[in-house]
Amino acid sequence: MKIALVHDWLNQIGGAEDVLNVLKRDFPASPVYTSIFAKSLMPAFYQDWDIRALWLDRLPGIYRRHQAFLPLYPLAWDRLALEGFDVILSNKSGFCHGLRFPPASLHICYCLTPTRYVWQLDNYLAGEGLGSAAAFLRPLVARLKRWDYAAAQRVSHFIAISTAVEARIRRFYKRESTVIYPPVATARFASAAGEPVGDYYLVVSRLIPYKRIDLAVKAASELGLKLKIAGAGRDDARLRRLAGDGVEFLGFVPDEALPRLMAGCKALIFPGLEDFGIAPVQAQAAGRPVIAYDGGGALDTVIPGLTGERFSCLTVDSLKEVWRKFDDGAYDPRAIGEHARRFDERVFSQRVAAFVEQAWRARQARQPFQFHDPVPAEEGKSTWNTES
């Protein structure tokens, strides 16, 4: 099969890029189509790839403030017609699923989430501290919703990154999807399992408002608990103002230092609503439990009583109620690590490759497609999934 990879934008590193890196590793001959490619902001190895950017890439200032160009992305993707490929595999959180392709091709969309600032505008802006801006954006967003919905109907098959995203795809796009969890390099964190556990709790995150690190900072300060925060971002100054004496800001922590840092914490605190959330799986791979908000990807990854606990409301009091009762010694590190392996990048690669091959064979045979999971249940299927 001749396969094209499609990605919304390449001007920052995050979970979406982790997925793209594995897809590119698994399909090395595939070109990558994207709206913008900021070479200076991306790892050097990206320059070895065949990356094909859209005309948006030439607009001044777009690399640093790509969200300001929101109305232009649907226009740009809608005008991209990919021909000569058997399978188009898009890695979507924005608008890249809206490209055009001939009837003979197959478009599989790995959906990180239906476009958040289109379908969940109020929540997105509130998390950014811009709740009053929603009124000005509503007319534009109404048009974007119509385009986004129509674009989703052109996709051949959807893959969702979590049961929460599966539910959103069904709700917003009226489409069914198959859940394949994102890839996590669990072996790297499992290598640190068994390190002595320290006296601190841990947050690992970009410091931006919607991550709700403020809940962890306030709760730890009020409970008098020691909390280390690994990460950087524009919310840093505000969070420091909220912090008590027991909260320590580590700033950016290099990748090679993260496994031991996670293995040494009493628990990872994961206070925001995330589509999946890789950090909880990394901590669990290192044998440590997680305290997470009861929603989003945590419904799949944090199993109460087994791999951690969940708090019910996005409030300081709700987090404090669970945190106050939490006993890190009540969890079996080996069982936690075993659960984490269900999300390993090897499992992701096996499932995506099988999905692509099976879907393409069904298309060629003009038969209905139903995914047959190649990963044995004991290796890759979580039997504790909770419906969102």
Side-chain angles (χ1 to χ4, degrees), residues 27-258:
F27 304 104
S30 299
V32 178
Y33 289 84
T34 188
S35 60
I36 59 174
F37 177 33
K39 295 180 181 179
S40 63
L41 301 178
M42 301 301 293
F45 66 83
Y46 275 62
Q47 297 188 41
D48 297 329
W49 294 359
D50 179 4
I51 296 179
R52 307 175 187 183
L54 305 184
W55 56 266
L56 289 169
D57 192 60
R58 299 190 293 271
L59 298 181
I62 196 169
Y63 289 170
R64 295 289 183 180
R65 300 190 62 192
H66 71 277
Q67 284 130 331
F69 297 82
L70 176 68
L72 299 181
Y73 292 103
L75 177 65
W77 285 113
D78 199 66
R79 290 184 177 180
L80 176 65
L82 287 186
E83 298 184 355
F85 295 99
D86 299 313
V87 176
I88 297 159
L89 184 54
S90 60
N91 183 39
K92 165 262 190 316
S93 63
F95 302 99
C96 69
H97 66 300
L99 57 85
R100 303 281 179 168
F101 56 97
S105 297
L106 190 70
H107 179 187
I108 299 170
C109 177
Y110 189 72
C111 186
L112 307 174
T113 185
T115 315
R116 186 178 290 107
Y117 30 83
V118 171
W119 297 100
Q120 298 171 291
L121 179 66
D122 290 336
N123 290 341
Y124 179 80
L125 293 178
E128 294 293 315
L130 299 170
S132 61
F136 300 98
L137 291 173
R138 289 191 194 283
L140 169 62
V141 169
R143 292 194 295 272
L144 290 177
K145 278 185 178 180
R146 290 192 292 271
W147 180 92
D148 198 56
Y149 177 85
Q153 308 317 303
R154 298 197 295 267
V155 171
S156 307
H157 303 292
F158 275 100
I159 302 174
I161 68 169
S162 65
T163 54
V165 170
E166 178 188 30
R168 288 181 212 158
I169 292 171
R170 185 181 298 118
R171 176 186 175 190
F172 298 134
Y173 293 156
K174 313 301 181 189
R175 297 289 305 273
E176 294 302 315
S177 58
T178 298
V179 175
I180 298 179
Y181 298 116
V184 183
T186 60
R188 185 162 67 91
F189 291 85
S191 66
E195 290 282 335
V197 177
D199 61 349
Y200 63 92
Y201 292 88
L202 180 66
V203 166
V204 177
S205 175
R206 287 181 293 155
L207 305 186
I208 52 180
Y210 89 88
K211 299 286 188 179
R212 299 312 310 268
I213 310 303
D214 59 309
L215 298 180
V217 170
K218 290 178 181 178
S221 299
E222 293 175 15
L223 291 172
L225 297 172
K226 188 173 181 179
L227 176 67
K228 293 177 184 272
I229 298 179
R234 65 180 183 274
D235 211 23
D236 182 279
R238 182 178 76 95
L239 294 173
R240 288 177 185 271
R241 290 194 296 270
L242 298 174
D245 293 338
V247 180
E248 180 183 2
F249 290 83
L250 304 178
F252 173 77
V253 174
D255 285 347
E256 58 270 20
L258 275 179

